[in-house]
Amino acid sequence: EAGVTQFPSHSVIEKGQTVTLRCDPISGHDNLYWYRRVMGKEIKFLLHFVKESKQDESGMPNNRFLAERTGGTYSTLKVQPAELEDSGVYFCASSQVLGNEQFFGPGTRLTVL
Amino acid sequence: DQQVKQNSPSLSVQEGRISILNCDYTNSMFDYFLWYKKYPAEGPTFLISISSIKDKNEDGRFTVFLNKSAKHLSLHIVPSQPGDSAVYFCAAHDMRFGAGTRLTVKP
């Protein structure tokens, strides 16, 4: 069974540009989560999808971040325009049951210059 | 407002000895906790969990203890092995994670 995959693995962009991160969850997992880890700090929750619906987006830092999960399969996280403080590693995770163990992708390392 | 805290950024132990990783939380409504392990350049992987109806859960070399009155949990690894060297994250069921503790097990 394939795990959670994320693309790209690394992205280096300039301030003001747009970047779109993609996450493919484990097939059949309705729950999909986005997290961000900045400079070795805690893994911070961004948002949670159940199928195509945003269940909880309380962790989204501001309206420069837009997440979508059309069709309830893969998800994208767009940052537009990117700022320096957006740099970090963005993790995606999925789970079958809410609150149970989550399966994480390898992360996308975003560097904004 | 960090409701899950891991106050030790790093821990170093000798192979074969016990590793104890600590985690504190502030929200008494949290009723399920998970530990994840993370190797460099990889995403976290689930290790072990505990429900608030228990005070201990054991899986092989890994045991998690929960002290609800102190709002504290700990992960014990015994005996520690060099392959256990990783960053360990404590998380509450509502997807709040601690900052992680980097464990180094020396041969």
Side-chain angles (χ1 to χ4, degrees):
Chain A
E1 177 185 279
V4 177
T5 58
Q6 293 186 245
F7 182 83
S9 57
H10 293 82
S11 180
V12 180
I13 60 172
E14 292 189 348
K15 176 183 171 181
Q17 290 186 319
T18 297
V19 63
T20 300
L21 314 180
R22 172 170 170 145
C23 168
D24 287 79
I26 292 173
S27 177
H29 283 193
D30 288 340
N31 295 280
L32 186 149
Y33 315 82
W34 282 99
Y35 296 89
R36 177 172 71 178
R37 188 175 188 218
V38 175
M39 288 182 62
K41 294 187 178 178
E42 75 269 22
I43 298 173
K44 189 166 183 182
F45 167 77
L46 297 179
L47 88 158
H48 167 218
F49 283 99
V50 177
K51 296 185 180 178
E52 67 275 10
S53 299
K54 292 176 186 174
Q55 191 74 15
D56 180 353
E57 51 184 331
S58 61
M60 294 288 263
N62 51 61
N63 60 9
R64 295 186 294 102
F65 289 75
L66 175 64
E68 295 180 323
R69 193 184 181 195
T70 307
T73 54
Y74 71 92
S75 174
T76 58
L77 178 64
K78 180 191 287 188
V79 185
Q80 179 183 31
E83 298 289 343
L84 300 178
E85 65 264 26
D86 300 334
S87 296
V89 180
Y90 289 77
F91 290 105
C92 172
S94 71
S95 70
Q96 271 192 322
V97 178
L98 176 64
N100 278 14
E101 62 174 287
Q102 297 177 23
F103 295 84
F104 280 77
T108 294
R109 181 174 294 279
L110 174 64
T111 302
V112 183
L113 302 176
Chain B
D1 163 19
Q2 199 173 343
Q3 297 192 25
V4 178
K5 296 180 182 179
Q6 293 175 259
N7 293 317
S8 298
S10 63
L11 173 68
S12 181
V13 301
Q14 206 66 37
E15 181 179 7
R17 306 294 287 269
I18 185 170
S19 296
I20 300 177
L21 300 148
N22 294 303
C23 177
D24 296 290
Y25 60 96
T26 56
N27 190 336
S28 57
M29 299 299 290
F30 290 160
D31 60 4
Y32 190 75
F33 300 89
L34 308 97
W35 283 92
Y36 288 83
K37 175 177 172 179
K38 182 185 177 308
Y39 291 118
E42 295 182 10
T45 55
F46 170 75
L47 191 57
I48 192 169
S49 63
I50 189 165
S51 164
S52 62
I53 62 173
K54 294 185 175 182
D55 54 18
K56 175 183 173 181
N57 188 27
E58 190 172 351
D59 183 3
R61 296 185 297 112
F62 302 89
T63 303
V64 56
F65 294 91
L66 176 61
N67 183 333
K68 291 183 286 294
S69 60
K71 295 192 185 71
H72 176 84
L73 61 157
S74 60
L75 174 68
H76 293 210
I77 306 173
V78 56
S80 301
Q81 299 174 354
D84 296 329
S85 297
V87 178
Y88 289 79
F89 292 94
C90 165
H93 70 93
D94 74 339
M95 300 159 283
R96 294 179 196 267
F97 281 74
T101 297
R102 181 178 300 279
L103 172 66
T104 303
V105 180
K106 298 179 179 178

